[in-house]
Amino acid sequence: PTMWLALILGAAAASEPRVRLQAGASPDRPEWTRGARADPTALVQLTFLLKQQNVHMLEKALEAVSDPFSARYGKHLSNAEVHAMVAPTPAALDAVRTYVRTAVGAEAAYATPNGDMLTVTVNVNTAERMLGCEYYAYTHATLPSAVLTPSYSLPSALAAHVVAVSPTVQ
């Protein structure tokens, strides 16, 4: 039964409108050489970077604690208070965790205390299916080689909550 559910959900996700993303610079730059398609069985750790909320509130708090004329001068936020303030919405966390669980059958792990980064280790074949892309081996004269893709896509509903996925275009 779980296999059929995964197939049905996978088919639904495949037919859902997708948003193509190219966050930052493409790996197709002169200093990087694109090689052959990546080994489909090689493992990659996908990191989903979720949109933070209340960043404007954090900026105001930082200004207030830095302003000698403010009543909040010197009253810095704790690390926990900062994490709580900018944490992604519960809907964003749920959307990404559900997407990963449906696509991989595993839970995404929290990479940060406030959940703005979630990770899952998958093989290249699964990453390509999840991100609607093709991974390639890239080499650089002075940096370690990398498995990257020039672009990727996410279902529209998920893309609304995600800033970027790594490793992809950077």
Side-chain angles (χ1 to χ4, degrees), residues 41-48 100 103-109 118-124 126-127 130 166-167:
T41 64
L43 296 179
V44 291
Q45 183 180 33
L46 294 181
T47 301
F48 292 82
V100 169
V104 183
E107 292 295 325
L118 298 173
T119 63
V120 64
T121 300
V122 297
N123 63 37
V124 167
T126 300
M130 290 175 70
S166 177

Side-chain angles (χ1 to χ4, degrees), residues 140-155:
H140 190 279
T142 59
L143 298 172
S145 61
V147 174
L148 303 168
T149 182
S151 68
Y152 63 100
S153 66
L154 293 171

Side-chain angles (χ1 to χ4, degrees), residues 1-67:
T2 57
M3 182 182 87
W4 288 110
L5 178 61
L7 288 172
I8 291 167
L9 291 172
S15 63
E16 187 177 338
R18 294 180 74 90
V19 175
R20 182 135 314 267
L21 303 168
Q22 286 185 292
S26 168
D28 289 328
R29 298 184 304 192
E31 61 269 21
W32 287 93
T33 303
R34 183 165 98 174
R37 288 284 303 278
D39 175 358
T41 64
L43 296 179
V44 291
Q45 183 180 33
L46 294 181
T47 301
F48 292 82
L49 289 80
L50 282 66
K51 291 181 181 175
Q52 295 179 325
Q53 61 179 347
N54 302 321
V55 174
H56 66 286
M57 290 174 56
L58 178 61
E59 290 172 357
K60 287 185 184 282
L62 290 172
E63 289 171 5
V65 301
S66 303
D67 180 359

Side-chain angles (χ1 to χ4, degrees), residues 152-167:
Y152 63 100
S153 66
L154 293 171
S156 300
L158 186 65
H161 301 294
V162 176
V163 174
V165 181
S166 177

